[in-house]
Amino acid sequence: MNLEDASGNPDHPLIDLQLAVDKIHATREAATELGVPVVVNARTDVYLLPASGYAEAQYSETLRRLIAYRDAGADCAFAPGLKDAETIARLVKDVQCPLNILAVPGTPPIPKLEEVGVAE
């Protein structure tokens, strides 16, 4: 299951980090309690927002959110909108859990994504 942090509010496009973490934690806890096997794919939409001009700030916020989601019980992380192969490779290494990328025009080819460690 995908759990996303997009709010739908143009003034505050991402939900509060703690709320997103609480949702993931509650989902994992409920699935465990009910004996339902589930894969939680935690998605942050940082790279789908209009670029602020600060690539490092965008990366840092993505990493901060994905690590928090991983620590809350997500099985894998999802960063749609990220297209740069070097940044993808860096995020794979830094997030330390399976990372998914949305393949769209401009995204590195699948063999390159596999080479840098993107998960299936």
Side-chain angles (χ1 to χ4, degrees), residues 41-61:
N41 187 38
R43 170 180 160 161
T44 186
D45 283 1
V46 171
Y47 280 98
L48 293 176
L49 301 176
S52 64
Y54 299 102
E56 192 56 37
Q58 197 175 29
Y59 181 84
S60 294
E61 182 62 14

Side-chain angles (χ1 to χ4, degrees), residues 49-94:
L49 301 176
S52 64
Y54 299 102
E56 192 56 37
Q58 197 175 29
Y59 181 84
S60 294
E61 182 62 14
T62 298
L63 181 62
R64 181 175 83 101
R65 285 178 170 268
L66 293 181
I67 286 174
Y69 301 164
R70 178 202 68 200
D71 291 350
D75 298 291
C76 47
F78 185 23
L82 180 54
K83 298 178 184 177
D84 177 70
E86 287 180 28
T87 306
I88 293 169
R90 182 177 169 203
L91 191 58
V92 165
K93 181 180 176 189
D94 291 346

